Amino acid sequence: MALWKWLRQHWDWRRETLRTNLWLIPSLEVIGVMLLFTVTYLIDRAAYRSEVTLPSWVMAGTADSGRQILIVIAGALVTVVGVVFSVIIVALSLASTQFGPRMLRTFIRDRGAQFTLGTYVATFAYVLLALISIAPGSHGDFVPHLSITVAMVGMGLDVAVLIYFIHHITVEIQLPRVISRIAAELSQAITTQSAKTRDDVPGSTVGPSAEELLGRLEGSDGVVFVRKSGYLQFIRHQHLVRIAAKADATILLPYRPGHFLVAGSGMARVWPPEAAPVVQRALAKAEVTGHARTLAQDISFGVDQLVEIAIRALSPAINDTFTAMTCIDWLSSSLCRITDHWDPSGVHRDGEGVIRVISTEVGYDRLVQRSFEKIRQAGSGMPAVMIRQLEALTKIMERATTTEQRALLLHQAAMIHEASGSIPEPSDRADVTRRYEALRALHADRAEALVG
């Protein structure tokens, strides 16, 4: 169990790095066809020495005809790879313009595009290997008949992959599909973070309380500094817990994944101060800083992506109300899950229950604010957007379990209702008011049920 938790903690951020690139899948496919060519080449060699007999469906011919076939296939593959690259670049350019530059990550992560690119590169590599294997031998020219046949079969499969890719990229570039994929990744990140929070709960708690330790840490001179500037992407809390336990220290992390760090600034505080050098070395292996935010431990990044699409859709240049409403729908779905499951703990204890790391986590209130405030500001004067936001708040209110959650949601609804004064048409304002009053009635019913 301990090994599994260690692998999961180390795999989360590496998976994100490996997923967001266009070289991993093609590289694996090239390695695969190299192994395939090794097998077909050995069979061809055995057939050349008359040790085995190839099936009748294997292509036969001279060395010159084999070279000509492979050269034609290689030339066609280079052309098609150029077309595939062009389509990918056009898709990325369109995504950057319409969805925002941060949406490029979603398209780069697309397995369909990676698989298509890798298939053509791998087939080209196989054809080159087969081409260079044609050579003179003791029994005449060596012609890898089986390898050439496999190359022709691969060319036929590439045509099918090209048709798949055209369909796939046409579907994936549609805005509702992009939004739903971002929401699905956000939902998965919420589930993962919630599971980690439950795993971090110890069986017993001993030692000073979090409040007492915070008082010590705030006055501590033990400061750990940032190595390089960038966005904090991932923190291995359990690694820091082990280091702190060995040094009998406590670590305060005032920044969370998603924050931008400046080289040379303070990243953590340590008590007692004498343990700061040990923590400084450990933190270099326990945190990942990069040029962009990721969803590995930054739930708010997924929310921000959906909000960004909604704001762009509401801009005067685009004026796409329905896209903004779609984003609000998926934001409400994510917030319903967060309302049910989100309870991040900033306190991390060792096996004995002693607090070793105190981290900063994004709160429920901040996630709700991120989801509604910027869209409310951008959608001023648009009754359809305001009504959809109030309907989303109503769905979330039905899931709310605490008084604080309901008060926060009601406050957001009150701000939306107040902003409805910018709507020129009285009937539209009345529609917004009806949704707001329905939400207030739901809030009152839940409050009465709690008292009862």
Side-chain angles (χ1 to χ4, degrees):
M1 180 62 69
L3 177 60
W4 167 247
K5 291 179 66 175
W6 182 89
L7 290 174
R8 190 177 67 178
Q9 293 161 5
H10 284 69
W11 172 244
D12 283 341
W13 71 272
R14 293 187 185 275
R15 178 180 57 189
E16 180 68 22
T17 302
L18 295 174
R19 178 80 183 267
T20 313
N21 62 72
L22 291 174
W23 58 262
L24 177 62
I25 297 299
S27 299
L28 293 176
E29 291 192 53
V30 169
I31 294 173
V33 299
M34 290 176 67
L35 296 175
L36 174 62
F37 175 76
T38 301
V39 174
T40 58
Y41 177 78
L42 292 176
I43 296 174
D44 282 322
R45 275 295 179 183
Y48 179 72
R49 295 190 297 267
S50 300
E51 296 176 358
V52 298
T53 301
L54 296 176
S56 58
W57 50 264
V58 173
M59 192 202 74
T62 64
D64 290 338
S65 63
R67 287 193 187 95
Q68 189 64 31
I69 292 173
L70 293 175
I71 290 173
V72 170
I73 294 176
L77 287 172
V78 169
T79 303
V80 176
V81 167
V83 172
V84 172
F85 265 113
S86 300
V87 172
I88 292 176
I89 292 173
V90 169
L92 294 180
S93 300
L94 180 60
S96 178
T97 302
Q98 185 174 0
F99 311 142
R102 278 154 293 281
M103 300 307 111
L104 291 178
R105 167 185 163 276
T106 301
F107 288 92
I108 294 175
R109 287 165 53 92
D110 182 64
R111 290 300 193 200
Q114 296 173 4
F115 169 76
T116 301
L117 181 61
T119 299
Y120 279 95
V121 172
T123 306
F124 182 75
Y126 186 91
V127 170
L128 287 184
L129 291 172
L131 184 61
I132 63 177
S133 68
I134 301 176
S138 57
H139 304 291
D141 292 336
F142 169 71
V143 182
H145 294 113
L146 178 60
S147 299
I148 295 174
T149 304
V150 172
M152 295 180 66
V153 173
M155 188 64 179
L157 293 176
D158 288 345
V159 174
V161 170
L162 179 60
I163 296 173
Y164 154 78
F165 177 70
I166 294 173
H167 167 77
H168 175 76
I169 203 67
T170 303
V171 172
E172 292 298 319
I173 205 170
Q174 295 179 24
L175 196 51
R177 177 66 174 174
V178 175
I179 296 172
S180 65
R181 286 186 60 186
I182 295 173
E185 292 178 5
L186 175 58
S187 177
Q188 180 60 41
I190 293 169
T191 302
T192 302
Q193 288 297 98
S194 300
K196 286 184 177 180
T197 299
R198 292 191 295 269
D199 290 345
D200 286 340
V201 177
S204 60
T205 59
V206 297
S209 65
E211 292 75 13
E212 181 181 349
L213 290 172
L214 282 173
R216 299 177 184 177
L217 288 163
E218 290 174 358
S220 175
D221 295 331
V223 180
V224 176
F225 298 98
V226 178
R227 296 178 301 149
K228 64 176 182 178
S229 298
Y231 287 96
L232 184 59
Q233 296 178 338
F234 193 86
I235 300 176
R236 298 178 187 150
H237 294 102
Q238 292 305 314
H239 179 72
L240 288 178
V241 167
R242 289 192 295 271
I243 297 301
K246 291 180 180 179
D248 194 20
T250 306
I251 305 170
L252 172 63
L253 300 173
Y255 299 103
R256 61 172 176 79
H259 284 157
F260 186 81
L261 305 180
V262 178
S265 61
M267 181 179 178
R269 287 187 174 274
V270 182
W271 186 88
E274 296 77 19
V278 177
V279 175
Q280 178 78 61
R281 292 190 296 269
L283 197 58
K285 300 179 180 179
E287 58 90 13
V288 180
T289 304
H291 65 280
R293 297 168 64 185
T294 67
L295 261 173
Q297 287 184 344
D298 185 11
I299 300 296
S300 58
F301 178 56
V303 174
D304 290 344
Q305 288 185 91
L306 293 174
V307 171
E308 180 180 7
I309 295 177
I311 293 175
R312 282 177 172 267
L314 293 174
S315 65
I318 299 178
N319 196 22
D320 184 359
T321 306
F322 290 100
T323 293
M325 293 166 64
T326 302
C327 292
I328 294 171
D329 291 338
W330 283 109
L331 282 169
S332 68
S333 174
S334 298
L335 285 175
C336 284
R337 290 181 58 83
I338 292 172
T339 301
D340 290 339
H341 305 294
W342 189 246
D343 186 22
S345 174
V347 175
H348 304 268
R349 302 174 183 267
D350 60 16
E352 298 179 355
V354 179
I355 297 176
R356 295 302 181 185
V357 176
I358 302 177
S359 61
T360 301
E361 304 291 341
V362 61
Y364 178 79
D365 56 342
R366 186 59 181 149
L367 291 172
V368 172
Q369 292 167 3
R370 283 178 177 272
S371 300
F372 286 95
E373 292 186 349
K374 290 184 175 63
I375 298 179
R376 169 177 55 79
Q377 296 161 4
S380 178
M382 298 182 179
V385 175
M386 294 181 178
I387 290 172
R388 188 58 63 91
Q389 283 194 298
L390 289 172
E391 291 174 348
L393 285 168
T394 301
K395 295 175 184 176
I396 302 169
M397 181 76 77
E398 294 173 351
R399 300 288 189 92
T401 57
T402 66
T403 303
E404 292 76 12
Q405 290 178 345
R406 289 191 293 271
L408 177 65
L409 297 172
L410 185 62
H411 177 64
Q412 290 294 324
M415 289 191 291
I416 294 172
H417 181 253
E418 183 178 354
S420 66
S422 61
I423 301 175
E425 180 61 40
S427 61
D428 291 336
R429 291 198 301 271
D431 288 339
V432 175
T433 300
R434 280 195 296 270
R435 273 29 175 233
Y436 174 63
E437 293 299 333
L439 179 61
R440 289 187 60 187
L442 176 61
H443 176 268
D445 291 342
R446 293 302 174 89
E448 291 179 1
L450 182 62
V451 173

